[in-house]
Amino acid sequence: MRAPLIVRKASHARLVGLVPTVIIAVLSFVALHVLVSNMREEKNTVRYLKSSPGFSSVRSASRFMPTQTLRRCKKDNKSRFCTVSSSATPKLAIANPLISMVDSMLPPFGSIEADHVVPAMEKIIEDTEAGLRKLEKEVKPTWEGLVEPLEKLSDPLERVWGAIQHLKMVKDSEALRKAVESIQPAVVSLTLKISQSPQIAQAFKEMRDKDPEAYSALPIARRRVIEAQIKDAELSGGSLEGDDQKEFNKIQQRLAELGTTFGNNVLDATKKFTIQVKPEEKERIKGLPASALALTAQSARDKGMNATAESGPWLFTLDPSTYIAVMTYADDRTLRAEMHKGYQTRASELSTEDKEKDNQHVILETLKLRQQKAKLLGMKHHADVSMAKKMADLDSAFSFLEELRKVSYDAAISEHKGLQKFAEEKFGVDFPLQQWDVGYYAEKMRQDKFDIDEEKLRSYFALEKVL
């Protein structure tokens, strides 16, 4: 028997909330294992970076070791590592883990620090710009002469910058923010250079237009890549000239700044919100599993409190693991309502935590700039810009949403009524269920009807067992 939609949805929300935590833990574990296994036994020597163009000299390498004095750098031809030694300090010279990403598959999140960001990105930007100039001179309108080298050229920039942005989301700090904000304009500028390159855009158009018969014979995936690149160049301002392109680039830089500000405000509001439950208020934590109480006790200890999972105090935050646990298991309806309101009003005019982090002005300026950008591109509004690279158009998207609403609305209403009836009959509920009630009673319904308790499954999916 299949669980009702409302129960499946609640389950899916919890699963989605756990996925980032599991992924980060796995990646950190793997990165730490690789880092430890690559360390040499010699006290003053480490295996440095895989050899790469423009990175074999001591001058180039020294940019990525701000805490060490390089005395010697020699090429290890067998391992393709640069071995570095320092006689000025007994500490090991540590390689910049962001640079090591250029030749590795997984981001070494466990060893990335804020002071790695700027030197790594400066080096990658420098190498990418040099590669772009070379490609523009030698570009050929073929898959091997254009698509493959362009992919290799942009891959380090995209992967390393993506890892930095992800780390900023999950391990935010003032130092990391400053590093990102200082290098972001250069990153945006470079991505615009690549997207707006006349030579590259022309080569893609030649691939499509010069020999229509040969182009039609290409696999559909390759044709899709070529069409997407041409469209991306147009949407990135590649067809604009003079003052229009300058204005477009100025808008892009400002949109990037606003996006960072928006994210910072949400992170700050998330971190600032707390609800402390004192030991004498133990009734408020009723229903919460041991894992959730351990998290809240740890949050309290992080704030300098002498806390245990059994005796408290318990500090509730908007961390996804804590928030989902409260909305699913907490018997205290007031606690659920407070957490729900705190989560939904983060960084808004309705927030009670920090009015300075209100994102309202950020959203309004973003909408204004998106409209200006759309007009520069000859489109009505940002929705047209967004849909231009997708396989659907705006009208078909609206039609799909309306069709989805028609076929799901009645079923959703019916299932919500069923949940309301279940809560009334089983728990004596005498009020209409609100948003902070749905997850809680959906979990109760699942346990009652299907005898499923996700909390009991945790022991079977411990990290060491999953790996």
Side-chain angles (χ1 to χ4, degrees):
M1 184 177 185
R2 198 179 187 195
L5 176 61
I6 199 165
V7 176
R8 300 197 306 272
K9 187 175 181 181
S11 175
H12 177 70
R14 285 191 295 279
L15 181 60
V16 170
L18 290 173
V19 166
T21 303
V22 174
I23 291 175
I24 293 166
V26 171
L27 292 180
S28 297
F29 176 84
V30 174
L32 180 62
H33 174 74
V34 173
L35 179 65
V36 172
S37 65
N38 281 342
M39 292 180 65
R40 289 200 184 275
E41 293 181 359
E42 293 88 345
K43 187 175 182 179
N44 293 324
T45 306
V46 295
R47 298 173 71 182
Y48 197 45
L49 302 175
K50 287 186 178 179
S51 59
S52 59
F55 202 77
S56 59
S57 67
V58 174
R59 180 181 178 186
S60 179
S62 65
R63 298 172 59 190
F64 305 97
M65 306 188 70
T67 60
Q68 298 291 338
T69 302
L70 293 177
R71 300 299 185 191
R72 176 171 55 87
C73 184
K74 64 182 181 180
K75 200 74 162 290
D76 182 346
N77 293 323
K78 181 178 291 186
S79 65
R80 296 196 306 117
F81 273 79
C82 177
T83 306
V84 186
S85 176
S86 171
S87 59
T89 172
K91 294 182 179 181
L92 291 177
I94 306 298
N96 190 319
L98 289 170
I99 289 294
S100 70
M101 274 188 64
V102 174
D103 296 312
S104 64
M105 291 295 293
L106 297 174
F109 287 117
S111 54
I112 299 173
E113 301 293 340
D115 60 359
H116 295 142
V117 171
V118 172
M121 290 307 302
E122 284 179 344
K123 175 60 181 173
I124 291 172
I125 289 171
E126 178 185 325
D127 289 346
T128 304
E129 286 182 334
L132 177 61
R133 290 192 294 270
K134 184 175 184 294
L135 179 59
E136 288 177 333
K137 290 179 180 179
E138 302 174 355
V139 65
K140 297 178 182 178
T142 63
W143 191 266
E144 294 76 14
L146 172 58
V147 181
E148 290 181 0
L150 181 61
E151 177 67 19
K152 292 177 182 178
L153 175 71
S154 58
D155 180 69
L157 178 70
E158 293 174 357
R159 288 198 300 117
V160 175
W161 185 241
I164 293 169
Q165 294 282 44
H166 177 77
L167 190 64
K168 182 178 173 297
M169 289 177 59
V170 300
K171 195 180 179 183
D172 182 52
S173 69
E174 190 62 31
L176 188 56
R177 285 189 183 187
K178 289 181 178 179
V180 169
E181 289 170 5
S182 67
I183 199 65
Q184 181 173 266
V187 175
V188 175
S189 179
L190 177 55
T191 56
L192 288 170
K193 280 183 182 179
I194 296 173
S195 298
Q196 295 174 354
S197 169
Q199 296 91 332
I200 291 176
Q202 181 58 34
F204 272 112
K205 289 179 181 178
E206 287 186 25
M207 288 183 69
R208 181 190 63 183
D209 302 333
K210 190 173 183 179
D211 189 344
E213 187 175 339
Y215 178 73
S216 299
L218 290 174
I220 189 171
R222 291 196 172 192
R223 297 201 304 271
R224 172 65 178 163
V225 167
I226 294 169
E227 291 290 348
Q229 287 286 352
I230 294 172
K231 178 60 68 175
D232 184 65
E234 295 174 358
L235 297 176
S236 299
S239 300
L240 302 177
E241 297 179 356
D243 291 342
D244 284 345
Q245 191 172 84
K246 290 180 181 179
E247 180 65 19
F248 181 92
N249 292 348
K250 183 180 177 181
I251 289 173
Q252 287 294 88
Q253 287 284 4
R254 181 56 181 159
L255 285 172
E257 292 175 10
L258 290 170
T260 299
T261 300
F262 184 95
N264 287 345
N265 287 346
V266 173
L267 285 171
D268 288 341
T270 300
K271 289 190 290 187
K272 193 167 184 177
F273 179 93
T274 58
I275 296 176
Q276 182 180 343
V277 176
K278 300 176 182 179
E280 58 268 26
E281 301 173 311
K282 202 167 185 178
E283 189 71 18
R284 298 200 73 188
I285 66 169
K286 189 176 179 181
L288 287 168
S291 59
L293 296 178
L295 281 173
T296 56
Q298 181 60 54
S299 296
R301 289 194 294 272
D302 291 343
K303 295 293 184 181
M305 305 178 197
N306 184 18
T308 65
E310 296 78 18
S311 304
W314 301 273
L315 193 65
F316 290 85
T317 69
L318 295 180
D319 175 82
S321 298
T322 301
Y323 176 76
I324 292 172
V326 171
M327 302 309 293
T328 306
Y329 298 107
D331 293 342
D332 189 328
R333 188 173 187 239
T334 302
L335 178 61
R336 298 200 307 268
E338 290 175 358
M339 290 286 285
H340 178 269
K341 181 180 178 181
Y343 191 86
Q344 297 298 333
T345 61
R346 291 172 299 163
S348 75
E349 60 181 336
L350 300 176
S351 174
T352 58
E353 297 301 316
D354 193 346
K355 297 295 184 182
E356 293 182 1
K357 300 300 180 180
D358 182 4
N359 267 332
Q360 184 176 209
H361 70 283
V362 178
I363 295 171
L364 291 175
E365 186 178 354
T366 298
L367 292 173
K368 180 180 177 181
L369 290 175
R370 284 179 171 181
Q371 182 63 25
Q372 293 176 9
K373 174 181 167 181
K375 286 186 176 180
L376 283 171
L377 294 173
M379 299 184 183
K380 289 183 179 180
H381 37 61
H382 177 71
D384 287 333
V385 178
S386 177
M387 297 301 295
K389 290 196 294 184
K390 299 178 174 65
M391 298 182 71
D393 56 32
L394 195 57
D395 290 337
S396 63
F398 277 127
S399 297
F400 173 75
L401 289 174
E402 177 59 20
E403 181 182 351
L404 185 63
R405 186 198 66 81
K406 287 180 179 179
V407 299
S408 62
Y409 184 80
D410 290 343
I413 292 296
S414 176
E415 290 194 356
H416 185 77
K417 288 180 178 179
L419 185 64
Q420 178 77 45
K421 183 179 179 181
F422 170 82
E424 292 171 355
E425 293 177 351
K426 293 287 186 177
F427 297 93
V429 167
D430 58 357
F431 50 80
L433 296 183
Q434 301 298 317
Q435 291 178 326
W436 51 87
D437 299 317
V438 172
Y440 175 77
Y441 287 107
E443 175 65 19
K444 296 295 186 185
M445 176 184 279
R446 180 170 56 180
Q447 292 180 8
D448 180 76
K449 292 184 176 296
F450 308 104
D451 194 24
I452 299 174
D453 185 352
E454 285 189 355
E455 193 62 26
K456 293 181 179 179
L457 298 177
R458 282 180 175 271
S459 61
Y460 297 97
F461 294 95
L463 180 61
E464 59 272 14
K465 293 183 178 180
V466 174
L467 288 178

